[in-house]
């Protein structure tokens, strides 16, 4: 209630409504931004969750896929060793079968003559036996030798066959687990899982890039620019000369795929920031260059690429187990760091030369440095080999020369599994590096004197040594070329000698022709040089080498992690825009798919069973085929000589008859001459009438001549008759033998049937013939002669029934072979062609696994360490900022409401300004000074707050306040745009917004790598998506969508209401000013009325 005469009090309902609206909208803005801060907290948790997923995938790849690949590679390498052993065992089997057969033939006079001289040799032996009346016939001996030879071959082949089958069983035992795993990989890397894996890695990339964008926009650039400058200067200085030129930038563009430095851009940048015009950029000038707006994030892109490559190499070094893998990984490390960190190059060069590592491994590293010298994937343009060898020679010259000497040995190249054809080029390169290192060392006189003193050499000797080193490359290369030529020639001669020793006779060649196509098993399966090379390169590294590799891997991994964190701190991003896990996964899948394509023949369902059946069939029928060929070789030896031998026997019989006739004639001629001698003498005596004894001489001679003449005539007649008689007897015997042979036709035909034959052809024929023919009265000699023709007659009869020829029975047997040998040869050919390439492809895929695993681990472990803390820090700062803003807005709005109420007459309302006392007392103490200051301020607020100057000053302040609110609304719009951008990126990524899809994706990863787990607690995959906040888009969608709308709308409404409060405050100011004036007028009138009243009361008194 106002006093009588005072202006009435007016409550500022409009102002109250405006203040309430302003506070309400500010509260909505606060709640929306607190919601945004909560989303940032959730994103921090989601960052940690997805980091755990990435680290889990990395660990599973390393512990599961890499280990399995290493095991499969080892099994395939052992399988290749068994393939080589099987090749040699099969060659030995055929060689021993031929040796036993040929030795038996050689030790049998009859078979030897038949094989060497043919039918003539055997007929000569038969005639000799006929004349000598031997009790044993040659064909009888041959018929008896056949089963003996077969039994001897069988006994020997049984032992060899057992060894072959043991080798084949061992081969299958090694290949079966590997092929089973390959079959599982065919399923694992099927189209469905590949599609799921690709979707998952794309999601992983999206999540990472999403978090990177948010952190880069909200967190900004770090304060470690100086450290980044020091680390990247060496990378820009590709020639290591202490400054950067346009050429260096061009090389950086090529090595790091930085298109910003391509073309003329590099020259433009150098000219722009080259302050002294030298064409060279120093470190301070580089500071300006890398901050040029046209090449944003140049330093983090380069250093991150270097760190990523270093992480990949650390993964390869850690995963390497075989000697060639370790050497190649160490070479990659040296190639990378030689352009940036010579200290570490010196450490490794010292290890390579101080005998702490095997010299063979040092030589392997030098070879790999040579072979990778022109690798286009290197991140340096300098010669890593020259740098490393230079350091080795500086630290350990003797060990360096010893390694070069070892590399000059072609045998070492072959035993290490390298291609000997690369030796001349690499030896010449490495010798050139050594020569250049020696000449550089020679230029430093002090170092040269130290070396001379330490080696006990004179300066002249050292100069001679240096000149020798200068001439070394060309000489070493020429010597290496000669050594390689001799080695290849010697290897060919060894193979030729081997083949000659194993296969030198007709039986050997016959077995090879029928079973392996005329070649040895090793040659028929395309040799085993590639198998041997792959097996040698797959040797396990020595323990000291593996220990060195683990040390190097840990060092490289820690360095890569430090560089990654450095880039993260500088740019608030964990990777560059072009770095994607999806690309690496595609490379991994391509490597594995290449391996599976090579092994597809053996990975299909049932193929392993086919391998087993091939081996089982060989075990059952392989030796039988060899036995059949050996037996029929002996049969062919007799059959091919049969017709000629028959005619030879007839001729021998006729000749024997003639000799018998001549002997009979001679037996008759001598007695006849003796009987005629007395008569002849008497006739001569009568005719000559001589008494001198001439009749005795003439009678003796004449009787002898007459006896000889009669004997000759008699012997010719008897000989012809006797020869004809014996020849007729042979024909009769042959007819009887043919009749007996007809009864044996059924039994003999079993020899050509596919079922096993229990006895040989000659043995069966001989037994049956003796049972039937022993009852005849033909002489034993003629019976034995007939028996020699049994095989010929039977073969002719059988082949006539089969409609085929009888000239070469071995061909018929070859047609009836079981195919066990051809099946096994085909299997070995496939393995020899497939396994080396498959092992090489699997090693490449394994390197890709190690690269991906290491990259995932380094990036997401850094993400896990830094990401959540960054989001938490941003969320806390954002939350506190808006809380402070709201807290500041509340009293201001309350003060406006208070002012409006006061201007309306409440809280005492505007009062007249009292007169100021002109006189004052100066303050003396500190308390008096503070009291005076307070009094002056409060007097100003009390007396001058409604003056025009004070009012418009407050209006200006209020306008600034409204401007702040408007700026805040603009910020809200920007944040809303970011939220909308984030939400639009989430629309098509169902994994980030649906629990079922997310869990299915994790299950797909589990199917790919069975040891996959998220976090150390090993949560169930059904719970991971919720517990680890993996549904990032769902979190953003639920909170950011509403907060964006609320904050934008409410902030603009708050701005408009605040502007209206300024206008309302102006009205209240006018109200207060007029109220104060009215109140002053009232007081003045009251005082004027009080004066007359007082006077009248005084007068009345």
């Amino acid at each position: 209630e106002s006093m009588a005469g005072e202006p009435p009090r007016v409550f500022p309902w409009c102002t109250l409504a405006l203040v309430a609206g302003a506070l309400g909208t500010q509260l909505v803005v606060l709640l929306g931004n607190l919601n945004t801060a909560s989303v940032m907290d959730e994103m921090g948790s989601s960052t940690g969750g997805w980091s755990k997923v990435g680290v889990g995938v990395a660990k599973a790849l390393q512990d599961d896929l890499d280990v399995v690949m290493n095991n499969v590679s080892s099994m395939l390498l052992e399988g290749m060793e068994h393939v080589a052993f099987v090749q040699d065992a099969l060659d030995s089997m055929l060689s021993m079968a031929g040796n036993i057969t040929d030795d038996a033939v050689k030790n049998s006079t009859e078979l030897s003559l038949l094989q060497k001289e043919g039918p003539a040799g055997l007929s000569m032996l038969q005639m000799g036996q006929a004349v000598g009346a031997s009790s044993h016939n040659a064909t009888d001996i041959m018929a008896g030798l056949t089963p003996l030879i077969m039994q001897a071959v069988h006994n020997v082949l049984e032992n060899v066959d057992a060894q072959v089958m043991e080798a084949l069983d061992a081969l299958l035992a090694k290949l079966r687990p590997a092929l089973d795993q390959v079959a599982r990989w065919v399923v694992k890397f099927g189209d469905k899982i590949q599609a799921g894996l690709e979707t998952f890695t794309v999601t992983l990339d999206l999540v990472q890039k999403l978090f990177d964008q948010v952190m880069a926009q909200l967190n900004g650039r770090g304060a470690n620019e100086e450290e980044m400058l020091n680390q990247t200067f060496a990378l820009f200085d590709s020639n290591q000369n202490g400054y950067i030129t346009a050429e260096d930038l061009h090389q950086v563009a090529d090595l790091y795929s930085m298109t910003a430095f391509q073309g003329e851009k590099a020259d433009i940048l150098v000219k722009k920031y080259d302050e002294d015009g030298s064409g060279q950029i120093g470190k301070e000038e580089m500071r300006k260059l890398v901050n040029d707006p046209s090449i944003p994030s140049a330093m983090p892109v380069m250093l991150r690429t270097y760190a990523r490559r270093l992480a990949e190499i650390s993964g390869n070094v850690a995963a390497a187990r075989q000697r060639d893998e370790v050497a190649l990984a160490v070479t990659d490390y040296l190639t990378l760091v030689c352009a940036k960190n010579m200290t570490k190059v010196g450490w490794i060069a010292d290890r390579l030369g101080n005998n702490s590592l095997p010299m063979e491994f040092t030589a392997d590293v030098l070879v790999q440095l040579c072979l990778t010298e022109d690798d286009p994937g290197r991140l340096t343009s300098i010669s890593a080999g020259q740098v490393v060898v230079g350091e080795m020679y500086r630290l350990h010259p003797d060990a360096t020369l010893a390694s070069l000497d070892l590399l000059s040995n072609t045998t070492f190249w072959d035993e290490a599994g390298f291609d000997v054809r690369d030796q001349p080029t690499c030896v010449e390169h490495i010798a050139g590096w050594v020569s250049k290192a020696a000449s550089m060392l020679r230029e430093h006189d002090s170092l040269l004197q130290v070396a001379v003193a330490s080696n006990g050499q004179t300066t002249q000797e050292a100069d001679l040594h240096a000149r020798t080193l200068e001439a070394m490359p060309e000489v070493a290369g020429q010597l290496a070329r000669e050594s390689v030529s001799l080695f290849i020639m010697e290897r060919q001669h060894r193979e030729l000698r081997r083949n000659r020793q194993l296969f030198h006779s007709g039986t050997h060649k016959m077995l090879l022709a029928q079973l392996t196509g005329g070649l040895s098993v090793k040659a028929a399966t395309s040799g085993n040089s590639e198998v041997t090379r792959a097996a040698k390169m797959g040797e396990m590294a020595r323990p000291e080498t593996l220990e060195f590799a683990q040390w190097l891997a840990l060092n490289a991994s820690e360095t890569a992690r430090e560089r990654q964190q450095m880039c993260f701190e500088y740019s608030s991003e964990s990777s560059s825009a072009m770095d994607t896990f999806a690309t690496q996964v595609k490379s991994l899948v391509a490597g594995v798919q290449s391996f599976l394509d090579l092994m597809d023949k053996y990975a299909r369902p049932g193929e392993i069973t086919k391998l087993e059946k091939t081996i089982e069939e060989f075990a059952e029928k392989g030796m039988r085929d060899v036995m059949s060929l050996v037996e029929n070789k002996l049969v062919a030896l007799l059959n091919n000589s049969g017709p000629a031998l028959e005619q030879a026997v007839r001729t021998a019989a006729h000749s024997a008859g003639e000799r018998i006739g001549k002997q009979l004639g001679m037996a008759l001629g001598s007695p006849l001459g003796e009987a005629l001698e007395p008569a002849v003498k008497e006739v001569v005596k009568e005719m000559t009438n001589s008494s001198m004894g001439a009749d005795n001489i003439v009678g003796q001679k004449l009787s002898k001549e007459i006896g000889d003449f009669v004997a000759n005539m008699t012997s010719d007649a008897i000989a012809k008759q006797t020869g004809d008689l014996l020849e007729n007897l042979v024909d009769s015997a042959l007819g009887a033998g043919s009749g007996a042979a007809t009864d044996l036709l059924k039994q003999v035909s079993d020899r050509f049937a596919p079922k096993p034959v229990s006895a040989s052809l000659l043995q069966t024929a001989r037994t049956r013939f003796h049972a039937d023919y022993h009852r005849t009265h033909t002489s034993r000699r003629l019976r034995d002669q007939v028996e020699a023709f049994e095989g010929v007659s039977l073969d002719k009869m059988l082949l006539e029934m089969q409609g085929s020829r009888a000239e070469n029975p071995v061909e018929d047997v070859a047609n009836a072979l079981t195919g066990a040998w051809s099946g096994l040869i085909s299997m070995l050919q496939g393995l020899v062609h497939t396994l080396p390439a498959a092992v090489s492809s699997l090693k490449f895929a394994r390197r890709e696994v190690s690269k991906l695993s290491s990259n995932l681990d380094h990036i997401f472990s850094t993400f896990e360490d830094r990401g959540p803390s960054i989001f938490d820090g941003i969320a806390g700062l954002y939350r506190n900022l808006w809380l402070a803003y709201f807290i500041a807005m509340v009293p201001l709005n309350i003060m406006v409401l208070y002012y409006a109420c006061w201007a309306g007459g409440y809280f005492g309302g505007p009062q007249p300004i009292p007169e100021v006392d002109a006189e004052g007392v100066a303050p003396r103490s500190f308390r008096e000074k503070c009291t005076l200051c307070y009094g002056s301020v409060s007097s100003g607020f009390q007396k001058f707050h409604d003056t025009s100057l004070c009012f418009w000053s407050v209006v200006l302040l209020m306008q600034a306040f409204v401007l702040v609110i408007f700026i805040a609304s603009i910020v809200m719009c920007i944040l809303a745009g970011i939220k909308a951008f984030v939400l639009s990126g989430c629309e098509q990524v169902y994994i980030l917004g649906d629990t079922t899809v997310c869990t299915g994706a994790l299950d797909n990863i589990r199917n790919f790598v069975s040891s996959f787990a998220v976090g150390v607690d090993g949560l169930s995959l059904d719970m991971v998506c919720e517990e680890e906040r993996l549904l990032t888009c769902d979190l953003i969608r639920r909170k950011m969508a509403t907060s964006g709308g609320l904050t934008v709308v409410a902030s603009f409404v708050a701005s408009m209401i605040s502007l209206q409060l300024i206008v309302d405050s102006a009205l209240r100011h006018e109200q207060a000013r007029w109220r104060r004036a009215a109140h002053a007028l009232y007081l003045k009138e009251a005082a004027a009325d009080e004066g007359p009243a007082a006077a009248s009361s005084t007068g009345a008194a």
Side-chain angles (χ1 to χ4, degrees):
E1 296 289 340
S2 59
M3 297 188 337
E6 291 184 2
R9 289 184 294 181
V10 180
F11 189 81
W13 294 105
C14 182
T15 304
L16 177 62
L18 290 174
V19 170
L23 290 177
T25 53
Q26 297 294 344
L27 180 61
V28 171
V29 171
L30 175 64
L31 293 177
N33 284 291
L34 291 179
N35 201 13
T36 301
S38 176
V39 170
M40 292 181 183
D41 284 329
E42 296 287 353
M43 290 184 69
S45 300
S46 184
T47 301
W50 280 105
S51 298
K52 291 178 182 179
V53 171
V55 172
V57 172
K59 189 174 185 302
L61 288 173
Q62 192 67 35
D63 296 343
D64 190 341
L65 193 57
D66 181 76
V67 171
V68 175
M69 283 184 169
N70 181 58
N71 293 337
V72 171
S73 178
S74 299
M75 287 185 285
L76 293 179
L77 286 171
E78 292 179 3
M80 285 192 289
E81 293 176 357
H82 282 82
V83 166
F85 182 77
V86 169
Q87 290 174 326
D88 293 334
L90 291 174
D91 280 337
S92 298
M93 183 179 186
L94 296 179
S95 177
M96 294 184 72
N99 289 338
I100 294 296
T101 304
D102 291 336
D103 289 345
V105 171
K106 182 179 179 181
N107 294 331
S108 169
T109 306
E110 291 80 1
L111 291 176
S112 180
L113 281 172
L114 184 59
Q115 180 169 269
K116 292 180 179 179
E117 303 295 338
L122 188 57
S123 63
M124 287 189 295
L125 181 62
Q126 296 282 34
M127 288 188 293
Q129 291 175 335
V131 174
S134 174
S135 61
H136 297 285
N137 180 266
T139 52
D140 188 29
I141 295 174
M142 286 189 291
L145 282 175
T146 299
L148 294 177
I149 293 173
M150 297 303 298
Q151 186 62 44
V153 173
H154 183 272
N155 292 338
V156 173
L157 290 187
E158 273 191 335
N159 295 329
V160 180
D161 186 62
Q163 296 178 4
V164 171
M165 292 311 303
E166 183 179 352
L168 288 172
D169 290 340
L171 171 62
L172 191 60
K174 291 298 180 183
L175 290 181
R176 172 177 277 283
L179 297 180
D180 288 340
Q181 181 60 55
V182 172
R184 288 192 291 271
W185 278 343
V186 170
V187 178
K188 277 191 174 184
F189 288 87
D191 293 338
K192 181 178 180 181
I193 293 185
Q194 282 191 33
L197 188 63
E198 182 177 353
T199 301
F200 178 80
T201 52
V202 169
T203 302
L204 207 58
D205 286 326
L206 178 62
V207 170
Q208 183 200 13
K209 296 299 185 289
L210 176 65
F211 292 150
D212 281 346
Q213 290 174 1
V214 174
M215 288 187 295
Q217 292 175 359
L218 298 180
N219 196 44
R221 177 177 293 184
N224 60 336
E225 181 178 4
E226 187 67 28
E227 189 177 19
M228 288 288 294
L229 192 66
N230 293 332
Q231 291 294 332
T232 56
F233 186 83
L235 299 180
F236 278 100
D237 183 14
S238 58
N239 293 318
Q240 299 295 295
N241 47 22
Y243 52 83
I244 300 171
T245 63
E247 180 63 27
D248 290 329
L249 295 183
H250 285 301
Q251 291 183 0
V252 165
D254 295 334
L255 296 175
Y256 293 89
S257 301
M258 297 184 66
T259 57
F261 293 126
Q262 292 178 349
E264 298 180 355
K265 184 65 176 179
D267 301 291
I268 294 174
L269 289 172
V270 169
K271 289 181 181 179
K272 181 177 181 180
Y273 295 102
D274 179 20
E275 297 178 353
D276 57 3
S278 62
Q280 301 171 355
I281 299 295
K283 184 172 291 188
E284 290 303 319
E285 295 169 326
M286 178 189 166
R287 187 190 306 275
K288 301 176 182 178
L289 187 149
V290 295
N291 288 314
D292 189 274
S294 63
I295 50 171
S297 304
M299 288 196 297
V301 167
M302 285 191 64
L303 190 58
R304 192 179 291 117
T305 303
Y306 176 86
R308 178 175 58 83
R309 181 69 178 129
L310 187 60
E312 293 175 353
I313 292 174
S314 71
N316 288 337
V317 175
R321 294 292 180 271
Q322 298 165 8
R323 194 175 74 176
D324 65 319
E325 293 177 337
V326 179
L328 181 59
V330 171
T331 300
D332 290 341
Y333 178 82
L334 289 170
T335 303
L336 181 67
V337 301
C338 70
K340 189 176 185 299
N341 195 328
M342 284 300 299
T343 301
K344 292 187 177 181
V345 174
W347 291 351
I348 298 176
D350 181 54
R351 289 294 303 272
L352 293 175
N354 64 6
N355 296 323
S356 62
L357 295 172
M359 184 176 293
E360 292 80 5
F361 176 73
T362 301
D364 288 347
V365 172
L366 295 180
V367 172
Q368 293 292 354
L369 284 169
C370 169
L371 296 177
T372 59
E373 180 74 7
D374 298 324
D375 183 7
R378 299 186 310 155
L379 294 182
T380 180
S381 59
I382 64 176
S383 172
Q386 181 63 68
V387 173
V388 174
V389 171
E391 282 296 297
M392 285 182 60
Y393 190 83
R394 183 180 66 83
L395 298 172
H396 306 285
D398 293 337
T400 306
L401 293 177
S403 300
L404 178 60
D405 184 61
L406 180 61
L407 291 174
S408 302
N409 188 342
T410 307
T411 303
F412 165 77
W413 278 76
D414 182 68
E415 291 178 350
F418 296 114
D419 190 345
V420 295
R421 292 171 295 184
D422 293 329
Q423 185 192 11
T425 302
C426 283
V427 167
E428 188 169 355
H429 270 76
I430 297 170
W433 295 338
V434 173
S435 175
K436 187 173 181 179
S439 63
M440 292 177 63
L441 191 62
R442 185 166 172 262
E443 292 175 359
H444 298 79
D445 293 337
S446 59
L447 294 178
L448 179 61
Q449 293 300 326
V450 171
V452 169
S454 62
N455 293 325
Q457 297 177 331
T458 64
T459 305
Q460 185 177 4
E461 291 173 343
D463 292 340
L464 178 62
H465 181 66
R467 288 195 297 271
T468 302
L469 289 176
E470 290 176 0
M472 182 185 297
E474 183 177 356
V475 175
Q478 183 62 34
L479 291 176
R481 279 185 282 273
E482 295 175 359
S483 177
V484 169
S485 299
L486 291 174
F487 179 84
I488 294 176
M489 186 182 301
E490 183 181 352
R491 183 169 60 186
Q492 293 173 345
H493 287 171
R494 282 198 307 268
E495 190 66 23
L496 184 60
R497 286 195 300 269
R498 173 186 179 274
N499 290 335
R500 286 177 178 174
Q501 290 173 357
L502 291 176
F503 313 108
H504 57 274
S505 69
T507 304
H508 291 141
K509 295 175 182 178
M510 181 270 294
L511 291 174
L512 293 180
Q514 299 300 329
L515 298 177
T516 65
L519 301 173
S520 67
V521 175
K522 183 183 292 187
T525 54
S526 301
N528 64 350
S529 58
E530 292 299 322
V531 172
T532 304
R533 278 188 57 201
K536 289 177 178 178
M537 294 192 74
E539 291 180 356
M540 288 295 295
R542 296 183 185 177
E544 56 268 33
T545 304
L546 292 176
E547 181 182 0
F548 165 73
Q550 292 305 311
W551 169 82
L552 184 61
L554 289 174
N555 184 275
S557 177
E558 185 62 29
T559 302
R561 200 180 305 276
E562 290 176 358
R563 302 296 181 267
Q564 186 71 33
Q565 291 179 351
M566 192 182 300
C567 295
F568 194 94
E569 182 179 351
Y570 179 77
S571 64
S572 297
E573 294 178 336
S574 60
S575 66
S576 302
M578 300 302 293
D579 296 336
T580 62
F581 298 118
T583 303
Q584 289 186 288
V585 169
K586 286 182 180 179
S587 179
L588 184 156
V589 172
V592 177
Q593 194 63 53
S594 175
F595 168 76
L596 294 180
D597 290 341
L598 289 170
M599 298 296 293
D600 179 66
K601 177 181 178 181
Y602 304 102
R604 297 174 186 170
E607 291 297 329
I608 300 176
T609 304
K610 288 183 180 179
L611 291 180
E612 291 178 340
K613 288 183 177 179
T614 300
I615 294 176
E616 291 174 0
E617 183 179 1
F618 181 82
E620 179 183 353
K621 302 175 181 179
M623 191 172 71
R624 186 192 308 167
D625 286 346
V626 177
M627 296 292 293
S628 297
L629 288 172
V630 170
E631 178 180 5
N632 285 277
K633 196 261 186 182
L634 300 176
V635 172
L637 188 63
L638 296 177
N639 289 351
N640 291 334
S641 305
L645 185 58
E646 182 178 357
Q647 182 61 39
V649 170
R650 286 191 176 95
T651 302
H654 192 83
S655 298
E658 289 181 346
R659 285 196 298 271
I660 293 173
K662 289 183 180 293
Q663 289 175 1
L664 290 174
M666 293 302 296
L668 293 174
S670 295
L672 180 61
E674 293 176 358
L676 292 175
E677 184 175 349
V680 173
K681 286 182 179 181
E682 187 64 30
V683 173
V684 172
K685 184 176 180 180
E686 291 178 357
M687 290 177 64
T688 59
N689 196 19
S690 174
S691 58
M692 297 301 294
D695 56 336
N696 292 331
I697 298 172
V698 174
Q700 288 179 354
K701 291 184 178 181
L702 185 58
S703 60
K704 186 176 183 300
E705 291 294 333
I706 293 171
D708 289 341
F709 177 76
V710 172
N712 289 334
M713 293 181 60
T714 305
S715 64
D716 289 341
I718 294 173
K720 184 176 183 304
Q721 295 297 324
T722 306
D724 292 341
L725 175 62
L726 290 178
E727 190 171 348
N728 291 333
L729 289 174
V730 168
D731 290 335
S732 299
L734 289 175
S738 298
T742 303
D743 296 334
L744 299 175
L745 181 59
K746 184 176 184 303
Q747 296 182 14
V748 174
S749 63
D750 293 340
R751 176 166 65 95
F752 295 93
K755 61 183 181 179
V757 181
S758 58
S760 67
L761 171 64
L762 291 180
Q763 188 177 12
T764 304
R766 182 173 180 270
T767 303
R768 290 296 302 273
F769 180 81
H770 285 183
D772 293 339
Y773 198 73
H774 271 198
R775 294 190 294 272
T776 66
H777 298 288
T778 310
S779 67
R780 179 179 178 83
R781 180 63 58 193
L782 295 179
R783 177 182 58 77
D784 290 339
Q785 294 287 357
V786 173
E787 189 177 29
F789 307 133
E790 289 177 348
V792 177
S793 301
L794 292 174
D795 284 339
K796 286 183 178 180
M797 293 168 61
L798 181 61
L799 294 174
E800 286 174 359
M801 293 176 62
Q802 295 176 341
S804 58
R805 298 176 60 188
E807 282 79 1
N808 192 0
V810 177
E811 292 182 359
D812 276 327
V813 177
N815 294 332
L817 292 177
T818 61
W821 278 84
S822 61
L824 187 64
I825 293 296
S826 178
M827 184 192 82
L828 292 177
Q829 283 178 338
L831 293 176
V832 167
H833 284 91
T834 301
L835 292 183
V839 169
S840 177
S841 180
L842 187 58
K843 286 184 177 181
F844 171 79
R846 186 163 170 253
R847 286 171 60 83
E848 293 300 315
V849 169
S850 299
K851 289 179 180 180
L852 177 59
S853 172
S854 183
N855 263 332
L856 285 170
D857 180 66
H858 282 79
I859 290 178
F860 280 104
S861 60
T862 302
F863 217 54
E864 185 178 11
D865 293 339
R866 308 296 296 274
S869 61
I870 289 178
F871 275 104
D872 291 343
I874 294 174
L877 181 62
Y878 193 81
R879 184 181 293 109
N880 293 334
L881 175 64
W882 285 103
L883 281 173
Y885 171 81
F886 182 76
I887 292 173
M889 293 298 104
V890 170
L892 288 176
N893 283 278
I894 292 176
M895 289 176 63
V896 170
L897 180 59
Y898 172 81
Y899 179 77
C901 292
W902 176 82
Y906 292 92
F907 308 111
Q911 298 293 328
I913 300 174
E915 296 293 334
V916 180
D917 189 2
E919 296 181 2
V921 181
R924 298 181 179 275
S925 64
F926 177 76
R927 181 176 180 181
E928 291 177 350
K929 292 179 180 179
C930 291
T931 302
L932 179 62
C933 180
Y934 173 76
S936 298
V937 172
S938 43
S939 174
F941 276 110
Q942 291 176 1
K943 299 178 180 180
F944 305 105
H945 61 276
D946 55 349
T947 61
S948 298
L949 177 62
C950 179
F951 171 74
W952 289 113
S953 298
V954 172
V955 167
L956 291 176
L957 180 63
M958 293 292 291
Q959 287 180 338
F961 165 70
V962 172
L963 179 63
V964 170
I965 297 177
F966 182 74
I967 292 174
S969 66
I970 297 298
V971 172
M972 294 302 101
C973 291
I974 296 174
L975 291 178
I978 295 175
K979 296 172 186 178
F981 171 76
V982 172
L983 288 175
S984 64
C986 287
E987 287 181 357
Q988 302 300 323
V989 187
Y990 304 111
I991 296 177
L992 301 179
D994 187 273
T995 304
T996 304
V997 178
C998 177
T999 304
L1002 297 181
D1003 285 332
N1004 195 34
I1005 297 298
R1006 173 72 62 82
N1007 293 331
F1008 183 68
V1009 277
S1010 57
S1011 62
F1012 170 65
V1014 178
V1016 295
D1017 298 332
L1019 288 173
S1020 172
L1021 294 186
D1022 295 335
M1023 303 172 58
V1024 167
C1025 293
E1026 293 289 344
E1027 294 292 332
E1028 297 294 343
R1029 302 292 192 273
L1030 300 185
L1031 303 177
T1032 309
C1033 287
D1034 183 57
L1035 298 173
I1036 295 173
R1037 187 181 298 112
R1038 283 190 285 108
K1039 294 187 177 182
M1040 273 197 172
T1042 55
S1043 68
L1046 290 177
T1047 53
V1048 171
V1049 174
S1051 61
F1052 274 101
V1053 172
S1055 300
M1056 299 303 296
I1057 293 176
S1058 298
L1059 182 62
Q1060 185 61 35
L1061 278 175
I1062 295 178
V1063 176
D1064 184 75
S1065 297
L1067 295 176
R1068 300 305 169 189
H1069 176 265
E1070 285 299 311
Q1071 183 183 22
R1073 190 168 68 84
W1074 285 106
R1075 179 173 287 279
R1076 183 187 301 279
H1079 190 67
L1081 181 60
Y1082 164 73
L1083 291 178
K1084 186 176 180 182
E1085 291 177 353
D1089 293 340
E1090 184 179 353
S1096 62
S1097 62
T1098 302

